[in-house]
């Protein structure tokens, strides 16, 4: 009888489950592929209707018929959004806005989402237990202009280049003007790529580009006078760009338990993905990549491929490909507020400081915080809990730069406006699992981690990242990005020819480089407990690990092979260059050139 009762219960549960699942086909809402029409208003109307149709208590599958969908700014959803590490111009024109959703799975079934003008393609906010999957995002006319060098007259200091066929431009007052629907600019800088490999040209980094003093010899063939760069041999591909980053391709905010699966970002004027103030995010086969080996483009995103600001829970990024972007494959951090005024023994006035990082929620009542002395990046005083937080310059945090924060316990007397101090929110710090990814042929760095929670970087291929492959940072002086790493494992990765170019923080293949203006007066250590093991380094140069202000590094069971693919050039002539590092171990590694820690390394406690 008991078994029969249990069987009835199970059957009832299955029936309930089946009754609480729903499938919605967006073609029933008038959205069809391959029409060429503007999908922006169609999605805006459909998702507005769907918000009422989707129940929080049932799983809802929203399906999109496979094909191409075009999105234009006209009649798109407009929303004022403050997005971390992006230009804070508003409002944003949004192609697809998912908001206030629970238990939703959006399956685009391999569709191509093509955007025009300047838009934020996909926004996913205030949602729980939801998934986006099976689509790609691209722009018909990217804001980066690609050209190919045809002739380089190094004697007369001029270069002739050919403009890629998809680029819209005009020559105005002897100036190259890149333009598109609702936008135009004159590119000032660029990145040079090898024609056949799509790798960055050795020792070029960020270059000046010939957009001034130009003449059009014939359609799409331009001669730039006063463009002098001997490394730009005929065939070199140059992507000419600005430093604008108005929006990412996908924006995730105030979400819980988000999955992004089998998504390809082919271009974004900002980052591929920006997630902020969200808990538990999984990227599985999420890629920022070219369209394949035959893609005529050499670039993807204007900035990072993926970026996580002020998130918590666990961030998982696995099975992705990140290539051709203008910054890191992944960057994980929080944001320091700078203390501007001590109001009383419990209350501080604190400001967002960077022009691209303000206006979003920073903290909540009950969050645990700590205080950092900017000059030495040392913790000052005890941890404290937020009792209340109130925006001063806005009605709420939306768009705010200035906060009054009251704390539960009295503040240390040292924490005041007379020194330079930052506040770090320890609640909004995530664990990170970054595994089985390919990072290649990008500008600047491979990956950047700044979180005190567990960080696992395993089984990845870092292939010609051009700068440092892995950076552990922390900065209360410029970008104001927290914080100290306290538990890091870098294991079973392969590094191939990093450091072909010099960018910020590029001191070694693995660079542990917090910004500490006054290292000589630092008494504590910033990072700690870093294990680097079972990795393979294929390199043409010397630097393997640089570390500053670390208590505890183990470098063991790694293999280091040297090649002659490029001439060695790096200023750092030590495999291991340590500044203020204690409790370090270097053991059981295989160096093809041999290794003597006393002879070849500079390690300072």
């Amino acid at each position: 009888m008991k078994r029969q009762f249990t069987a009835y219960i199970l059957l009832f549960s299955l029936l309930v489950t089946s009754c609480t699942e729903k499938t919605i086909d967006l073609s029933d809402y008038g959205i069809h592929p391959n029409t060429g029409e503007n999908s922006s208003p169609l999605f805006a109307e459909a998702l507005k209707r769907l918000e009422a149709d989707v129940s929080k208590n049932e799983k809802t599958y929203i399906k999109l018929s496979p094909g191409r969908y075009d999105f234009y700014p006209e009649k798109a959803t407009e929303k004022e959004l403050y997005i971390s590490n992006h230009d804070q111009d508003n409002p944003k024109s949004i192609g697809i806005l998912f908001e206030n959703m629970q238990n939703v799975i959006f399956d685009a079934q391999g569709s191509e989402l093509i955007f025009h003008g300047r838009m934020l393609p996909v926004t996913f906010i205030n949602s729980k237990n939801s998934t986006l999957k099976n689509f790609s995002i691209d722009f018909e006319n990217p804001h980066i202009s690609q050209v190919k060098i045809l002739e380089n007259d190094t004697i007369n200091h001029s270069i002739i280049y050919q403009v890629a066929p998809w680029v819209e431009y005009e020559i105005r007052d002897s100036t190259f003007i890149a333009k598109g629907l609702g936008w135009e600019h004159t590119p000032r800088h660029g990145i040079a790529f090898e024609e056949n490999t799509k790798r960055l040209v050795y020792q070029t980094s960020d270059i000046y580009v010939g957009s001034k003093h130009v003449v059009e010899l014939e359609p799409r063939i331009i001669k730039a006078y006063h463009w002098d760069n001997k490394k730009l041999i005929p065939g070199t591909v140059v992507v000419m760009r600005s430093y604008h980053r108005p929006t990412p391709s996908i924006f995730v905010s105030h979400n819980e338990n988000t999955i992004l699966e089998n998504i390809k970002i082919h271009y974004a004027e900002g980052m591929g993905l920006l997630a902020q103030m969200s808990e538990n995010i999984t990227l599985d086969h999420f890629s920022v990549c070219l369209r394949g080996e035959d893609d005529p483009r050499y670039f993807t995103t204007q900035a990072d491929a993926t970026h996580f600001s002020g998130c918590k829970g666990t961030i998982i990024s696995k099975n992705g490909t990140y290539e051709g972007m203008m910054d890191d494959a992944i960057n994980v951090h929080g944001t320091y507020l700078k203390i501007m005024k001590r109001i009383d023994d419990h209350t501080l006035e604190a400001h967002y400081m960077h022009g691209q990082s303000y206006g979003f929620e920073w903290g909540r009542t009950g969050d645990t915080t700590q205080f950092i002395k900017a000059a030495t990046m040392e913790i000052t005083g005890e941890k404290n809990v937020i009792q209340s937080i109130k925006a001063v310059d806005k009605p709420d945090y939306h768009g705010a730069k200035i906060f009054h924060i009251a704390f539960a316990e009295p503040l240390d007397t040292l924490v005041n406006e007379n020194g330079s101090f930052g506040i770090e929110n320890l609640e909004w710090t995530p664990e990170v699992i970054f595994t089985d990814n390919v990072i290649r042929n990008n500008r600047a760095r491979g990956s950047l981690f700044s979180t005190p929670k567990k960080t696992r970087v395993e089984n990845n291929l870092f292939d010609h990242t051009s700068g440092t492959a892995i950076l552990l940072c922390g900065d209360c002086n410029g970008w104001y990005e927290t914080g100290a790493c306290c538990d890091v494992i870098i294991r079973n990765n392969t590094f191939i020819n990093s450091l072909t170019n010099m960018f910020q923080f590029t001191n070694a293949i693995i660079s542990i480089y917090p910004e500490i203006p006054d290292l000589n007066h630092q008494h504590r250590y910033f990072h700690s407990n870093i294990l680097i093991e079972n990795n393979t380094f294929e390199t043409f140069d010397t630097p393997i690990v640089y570390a500053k202000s670390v208590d505890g590094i183990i470098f063991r069971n790694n293999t280091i092979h040297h090649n002659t693919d490029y001439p060695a050039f790096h200023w750092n002539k030590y495999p291991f260059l340590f500044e203020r590092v204690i409790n370090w171990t270097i053991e059981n590694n295989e160096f093809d050139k041999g290794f003597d820690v006393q002879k070849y390394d500079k390690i300072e406690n």
Side-chain angles (χ1 to χ4, degrees):
M1 187 68 179
K2 185 176 181 182
R3 288 183 180 178
Q4 188 177 17
F5 179 77
T6 302
Y8 283 137
I9 293 296
L10 290 172
L11 179 60
F12 178 77
S13 298
L14 289 172
L15 288 172
V16 169
T17 301
S18 64
C19 291
T20 58
E21 293 186 358
K22 180 196 299 186
T23 299
I24 294 173
D25 190 333
L26 288 177
S27 64
D28 295 334
Y29 291 76
I31 300 176
H32 303 285
N34 308 318
T35 65
E37 65 178 313
N38 182 10
S39 295
S40 297
L42 301 177
F43 270 88
E45 178 61 28
L47 292 174
K48 184 178 179 181
R49 292 167 56 191
L50 275 175
E51 190 174 343
D53 293 342
V54 172
S55 169
K56 295 180 180 180
N57 298 318
E58 64 182 357
K59 182 178 290 186
T60 304
Y61 294 86
I62 302 174
K63 294 190 179 295
L64 189 65
S65 298
R68 169 172 168 149
Y69 297 82
D70 287 85
F71 296 81
Y72 293 83
E74 184 182 4
K75 297 183 180 180
T77 298
E78 288 195 345
K79 197 173 183 69
E80 186 176 85
L81 296 170
Y82 289 87
I83 303 175
S84 180
N85 295 79
H86 281 76
D87 301 336
Q88 305 298 19
D89 49 357
N90 273 297
K92 313 292 188 185
S93 296
I94 302 171
I96 303 176
L97 171 62
F98 295 99
E99 188 171 14
N100 303 320
M101 300 283 191
Q102 286 196 29
N103 304 313
V104 165
I105 298 174
F106 172 71
D107 185 355
Q109 301 189 93
S111 293
E112 294 180 287
L113 312 181
I114 306 298
F115 294 82
H116 302 261
R118 178 167 279 159
M119 298 187 71
L120 198 174
V122 177
T123 299
F124 197 15
I125 58 179
N126 297 319
S127 299
K128 295 182 179 180
N129 308 322
S130 295
T131 299
L132 305 180
K133 66 179 184 179
N134 298 330
F135 59 87
S136 64
I137 293 175
D138 203 353
F139 279 70
E140 186 75 8
N141 176 28
H143 312 82
I144 293 175
S145 301
Q146 182 173 304
V147 305
K148 183 177 181 179
I149 306 300
L150 300 181
E151 298 179 23
N152 188 344
D153 186 345
T154 57
I155 296 175
N156 295 303
H157 312 294
S158 65
I159 289 176
I160 298 175
Y161 58 85
Q162 182 178 34
V163 183
W166 62 84
V167 176
E168 295 182 24
Y169 74 95
E170 67 176 86
I171 306 301
R172 187 188 308 159
D173 298 327
S174 301
T175 299
F176 179 94
I177 308 291
K179 64 180 186 177
L181 180 64
W183 64 270
E184 66 174 39
H185 68 260
T186 298
R188 306 285 184 180
H189 302 88
I191 294 291
F193 289 88
E194 297 173 352
E195 181 179 18
N196 296 325
T197 66
K198 296 193 173 182
R199 297 168 182 161
L200 270 71
V201 174
Y202 167 78
Q203 272 200 285
T204 49
S205 303
D206 290 314
I207 63 171
Y208 162 79
V209 297
S211 57
K212 297 279 191 179
H213 311 293
V214 304
V215 296
E216 189 171 48
L217 304 179
E218 58 182 274
R220 297 198 174 271
I221 305 297
I222 293 173
K223 184 173 184 177
Y225 295 92
H226 313 304
W227 191 6
D228 189 10
N229 191 326
K230 295 180 180 180
K231 294 182 179 180
L232 303 183
I233 63 173
T236 301
V237 172
V238 177
V239 297
M240 306 196 304
R241 56 192 288 260
S242 72
Y243 285 100
H244 297 305
R245 47 169 82 173
T247 68
S249 198
I250 299 178
F251 176 49
V252 173
S253 181
H254 291 87
N255 280 12
E256 294 180 19
N257 306 324
T258 301
I259 298 174
L260 303 174
E261 180 183 334
N262 193 29
I263 295 172
K264 292 181 173 63
I265 308 297
H266 298 307
Y267 173 74
E269 194 177 4
M271 299 176 181
L273 165 72
L274 189 289
Q276 67 190 33
M277 296 301 289
S278 294
E279 180 175 2
N280 298 329
I281 302 171
T282 297
L283 310 184
D284 189 358
H285 289 89
F286 180 100
S287 296
V288 172
C289 60
L290 303 173
R291 287 182 168 271
E293 293 183 3
D294 296 330
D295 191 340
R297 289 193 209 157
Y298 283 62
F299 61 90
T300 54
T301 57
Q302 179 79 281
D304 299 345
T306 68
H307 198 112
F308 302 86
S309 174
C311 293
K312 67 178 181 177
T314 303
I315 293 170
I316 300 172
S317 176
K318 60 183 180 180
N319 306 315
T321 297
Y322 302 102
E323 62 182 347
M325 59 278 183
M326 299 294 108
D327 253 315
D328 321 314
I330 183 173
N331 186 342
V332 182
H333 66 87
T335 303
Y336 290 113
L337 296 183
K338 184 176 181 179
I339 296 171
M340 305 302 288
K341 184 178 180 181
R342 183 182 175 117
I343 297 172
D344 57 42
D345 287 346
H346 284 264
T347 311
L348 298 171
E349 180 176 299
H351 294 197
Y352 278 118
M353 296 304 295
H354 196 278
Q356 290 179 323
S357 290
Y358 72 88
F360 47 90
E361 188 178 15
W362 182 83
R364 299 172 182 172
T365 299
D367 289 354
T368 299
T369 65
Q370 65 185 10
F371 306 97
I372 302 292
K373 186 176 182 180
T376 59
M377 295 298 288
E378 293 174 287
I379 297 171
T380 301
E382 300 297 325
K383 295 177 182 177
N384 214 327
V385 174
I386 296 175
Q387 193 170 55
S388 68
I389 178 168
K390 179 182 179 181
V392 175
D393 54 336
K394 296 286 182 178
D396 57 27
Y397 68 79
H398 193 70
K401 295 182 179 180
I402 305 171
F403 298 91
H404 284 175
I405 307 175
F407 296 91
E409 301 298 329
L411 296 163
D412 190 291
T413 55
L414 293 175
V415 178
N416 55 61
E417 67 269 24
N418 295 324
S420 183
F421 291 93
I423 312 175
E424 179 178 5
N425 190 327
L426 297 174
E427 175 69 21
W428 294 91
T429 56
E431 294 187 10
V432 182
I433 299 171
F434 187 72
T435 181
D436 296 293
N437 299 292
V438 175
I439 306 94
R440 65 189 177 202
N441 305 340
N442 66 292
R443 172 189 176 276
R445 294 161 296 273
S447 56
L448 197 166
F449 305 97
S450 300
T451 175
K453 302 288 178 61
K454 292 180 181 178
T455 300
R456 302 292 179 263
V457 185
E458 300 183 304
N459 304 312
N460 302 290
L461 171 62
F462 295 89
D463 182 2
H464 290 79
T465 55
S466 81
T468 287
I470 298 175
L471 171 64
L472 308 182
C473 199
D475 171 20
C476 195
N477 299 279
W479 276 98
Y480 287 82
E481 294 181 355
T482 65
C485 296
C486 304
D487 184 354
V488 179
I489 293 178
I490 300 170
R491 177 189 287 143
N492 295 330
N493 302 284
T494 298
F495 303 90
I496 301 176
N497 287 344
S498 302
L499 306 179
T500 57
N501 284 280
M502 294 300 296
F503 295 98
Q504 189 179 24
F505 310 116
T506 307
N507 286 9
I509 296 173
I510 297 175
S511 189
I512 305 166
Y513 194 155
E515 288 272 42
I516 305 172
D518 190 6
L519 187 63
N520 291 333
H521 289 94
Q522 186 192 63
H523 300 287
R524 303 184 184 185
Y525 295 85
F526 190 70
H527 293 299
S528 59
N529 299 325
I530 300 166
L531 172 62
I532 305 168
E533 68 175 359
N534 300 329
N535 301 284
T536 298
F537 297 83
E538 299 278 350
T539 180
F540 62 94
D541 215 326
T542 303
I544 305 297
V545 179
Y546 168 82
K548 178 194 294 185
S549 186
V550 183
D551 181 356
I553 297 179
I554 299 174
F555 186 90
R556 69 187 181 201
N557 301 325
N558 299 285
T559 301
I560 296 89
H561 292 300
H562 289 84
N563 59 52
T564 57
D565 292 351
Y566 305 93
F569 77 97
H570 204 285
W571 61 264
N572 180 4
K573 304 304 181 184
Y574 299 94
F576 302 94
L577 175 55
F578 293 174
E579 298 180 80
R580 286 211 80 241
V581 174
I582 61 172
N583 299 319
W584 56 269
T585 300
I586 301 173
E587 63 183 10
N588 300 325
N589 301 289
E590 179 184 327
F591 288 81
D592 62 350
K593 290 187 174 182
F595 173 71
D596 183 343
V597 69
Q598 302 300 324
K599 183 177 180 180
Y600 294 108
D601 294 87
K602 183 178 181 182
I603 299 174
E604 300 177 350
N605 294 338

